[in-house]
Amino acid sequence: MRAWRGLRRGPAAPSGPAAASFSCCPGGGEQQQQRRRRRAWETSLSPLERLKRLLPPEVEAAAAGLDAGPAGGAGRGPLRLGELALAELGRGQRGALRLLCRLTAGAALATPRGLLPHDDIVGRLPGQVVRAAGGGRLLVRRPSLEEYVLLMARGAAIAYPKDASAMLMMMDLHPGDTVLESGSGSGALSLYLSRAVGSKGRVVSYEIREDHHNLAKKNYRQWRASWEIGHMEEWPDNVDFILKDITAAAEDMRSVTFDAIVLDMLNPQAALPVVYPSLKHGGVCAVYLANITQVIALLDRIRTRKLPFLCERIIDVTHRNWLVLPAKIKNCKSSQIVETQENTEEEPQQKEHEEIHFQDQAVLKESEYDESLPDNVETYCSVPYIARPSYWQDAHSAFLTKLRKFQPPLS
């Protein structure tokens, strides 16, 4: 405020010798006044605006052009034909649905509230609400990688996002790393590894079953194609899918050094003697196993064969979901009487995630509890909230074993 008051009053006129020097310099007073105005104006700008003023004019113009362009930068533009779209129905209500489809001209998305033509989705910005033929409202947007992995076609059980993120942290991957994956499955972990190592890195993925091999390639290509349409930059083409038994690939790895290895297979102890010479010293081998007896068999093979691995951690990952919702008020005049589903209903018997796959779309159904206030409750009433863990949790799905390769001492 002081800067603006000073700007309105203007600078004080110099007096004495300073006035003479001031008057003898043509235009000096104007320049000084402009500098003061500029300083006062700059102090009133936000940090973002001040940062923009530091950019060269051509860089600022290019950035403005990207924001206003059809693609709109990193996935901020409208949805277009050929890319994947996610539609959410009844968010926050019982039986919330997420529907995944590839936008195609003339096609329609089947929802419980009627058909939603793909042409009504194309051209809309992510986050807009559209209305289906039956009157239902759906929020349309681009799917995240986590949502795509949960909704894409599956042949084998996937590495769930909660486990995949823990494995990425175990391996401490960086852009430019080279990673070996054994067990492509449906391609879920391959996508996470592809993003972690970036365009300068490489992922080599082995799969022994042809149907899983083909499905992993299909899911990977579908995600890359959709990403390229909806974003300014391409998703890196850095995964080599190889249809071969990893235990018979010793010759392929003689001249390759891997920064990390991930094994998602039934008997990883059979692959360790083949892959460990190609792992750099100090590198991590992350193993994804379904039950603890497989972990014991793995550690026993390392001990009996005297393989140079140290077992650093064995964990399983559990996510505990919470519900924080307004409670149903039984008597509006008294906020102390609260009716919740904990004392009026039995524990729900349906699954947390029910997945339904169609030929052109996939649906993810989530069980949520309608503990919101009824529409006729007066807004002046005190509204108590319920905060409690959800009945259904994202519980144990696999054991994650972290093995680190060491260099044996010279004898």
Side-chain angles (χ1 to χ4, degrees):
M1 292 301 296
R2 292 180 180 176
W4 284 110
R5 292 193 192 105
L7 183 61
R8 286 197 297 269
R9 288 196 299 267
S15 59
S21 61
F22 185 87
S23 59
C24 70
C25 297
E30 269 182 43
Q31 293 177 1
Q32 188 175 5
Q33 189 173 6
Q34 287 177 359
R35 284 196 296 269
R36 291 180 179 177
R37 285 175 180 169
R38 186 166 60 250
R39 285 196 297 268
W41 180 54
E42 288 175 350
T43 57
S44 68
L45 295 178
S46 67
L48 181 60
E49 291 296 332
R50 288 198 295 270
L51 178 61
K52 287 182 179 180
R53 284 175 57 84
L54 297 176
L55 296 175
E58 58 274 10
V59 175
E60 187 175 0
L66 286 177
D67 291 339
R76 290 175 291 179
L79 295 163
R80 296 191 282 176
L81 288 173
E83 68 173 316
L84 296 168
L86 189 74
E88 291 181 290
L89 174 63
R91 186 180 180 91
Q93 301 295 327
R94 184 187 300 273
L97 291 174
R98 291 192 183 97
L99 302 97
L100 178 71
C101 66
R102 177 181 289 277
L103 297 177
T104 308
L109 180 66
T111 76
R113 303 292 178 86
L115 294 178
L116 176 61
H118 288 189
D119 295 334
D120 292 350
I121 302 177
V122 175
R124 293 184 180 270
L125 290 172
Q128 288 188 323
V129 177
V130 297
R131 190 180 296 273
R137 295 182 178 182
L138 296 97
L139 177 70
V140 295
R141 57 183 176 85
R142 291 184 176 92
S144 66
L145 180 57
E146 176 184 3
E147 291 163 334
Y148 175 71
V149 163
L150 292 173
L151 291 169
M152 68 184 187
R154 297 186 195 175
I158 64 169
Y160 283 89
K162 66 184 182 67
D163 297 324
S165 59
M167 296 175 77
L168 293 177
M169 292 299 101
M170 279 184 175
M171 293 181 285
D172 193 24
L173 296 181
H174 298 81
D177 285 349
T178 303
V179 185
L180 172 65
E181 178 191 19
S182 179
S184 305
S186 300
L189 190 55
S190 305
L191 282 164
Y192 283 104
L193 294 172
S194 173
R195 183 169 65 177
V197 302
S199 57
K200 295 183 179 180
R202 206 74 197 166
V203 179
V204 182
S205 182
Y206 280 80
E207 176 58 54
I208 191 172
R209 289 184 52 169
E210 185 175 2
D211 54 343
H212 292 174
H213 169 76
N214 294 332
L215 182 59
K217 289 197 299 183
K218 178 182 177 181
N219 287 334
Y220 178 73
R221 291 170 181 170
Q222 180 175 249
W223 176 258
R224 285 194 68 244
S226 175
W227 182 274
E228 185 176 356
I229 295 172
H231 295 72
M232 292 295 293
E233 71 281 0
E234 293 185 2
W235 186 274
D237 185 12
N238 57 1
V239 181
D240 297 320
F241 292 98
I242 301 175
L243 180 60
K244 191 173 185 179
D245 186 356
I246 189 69
T247 59
E251 291 294 330
D252 303 345
M253 302 181 190
R254 289 190 182 276
S255 59
V256 183
T257 300
F258 296 104
D259 298 286
I261 295 175
V262 54
L263 303 178
D264 183 7
M265 49 192 300
L266 293 176
N267 53 342
Q269 58 271 19
L272 274 182
V274 177
V275 301
Y276 90 85
S278 300
L279 179 63
K280 69 177 184 181
H281 291 296
V284 172
C285 176
V287 188
Y288 189 87
L289 292 170
N291 55 69
I292 197 64
T293 57
Q294 292 175 296
V295 177
I296 295 173
L298 172 68
L299 299 181
D300 187 63
R301 177 64 66 90
I302 293 174
R303 182 183 62 83
T304 56
R305 294 288 299 269
K306 297 182 179 179
L307 298 178
F309 282 106
L310 295 174
C311 180
E312 292 189 352
R313 298 182 70 190
I314 302 171
I315 64 171
D316 64 344
V317 182
T318 301
H319 282 180
R320 189 179 189 186
N321 301 314
W322 277 74
L323 293 175
V324 181
L325 296 171
K328 289 181 179 178
I329 298 182
K330 191 171 184 179
N331 183 358
C332 185
K333 296 180 181 179
S334 175
S335 62
Q336 302 299 323
I337 304 176
V338 180
E339 180 184 2
T340 69
Q341 283 201 337
E342 288 186 344
N343 51 32
T344 60
E345 296 182 7
E346 296 180 357
E347 295 185 4
Q349 298 299 319
Q350 52 187 346
K351 295 181 180 179
E352 179 78 14
H353 300 289
E354 296 178 7
E355 295 175 15
I356 311 168
H357 290 276
F358 298 94
Q359 184 176 1
D360 189 40
Q361 67 192 48
V363 181
L364 180 63
K365 181 176 181 181
E366 292 185 355
S367 299
E368 296 185 2
Y369 310 100
D370 189 8
E371 295 179 344
S372 58
L373 289 169
D375 296 334
N376 58 354
V377 173
E378 288 82 351
T379 57
Y380 62 83
C381 294
S382 176
V383 180
Y385 272 72
I386 294 176
R388 60 174 174 79
S390 173
Y391 287 118
W392 297 98
Q393 307 294 331
D394 297 333
H396 167 81
S397 53
F399 290 99
L400 312 180
T401 305
K402 180 180 180 181
L403 306 175
R404 188 178 298 276
K405 182 180 176 181
F406 66 92
Q407 186 173 6
L410 297 176
S411 55

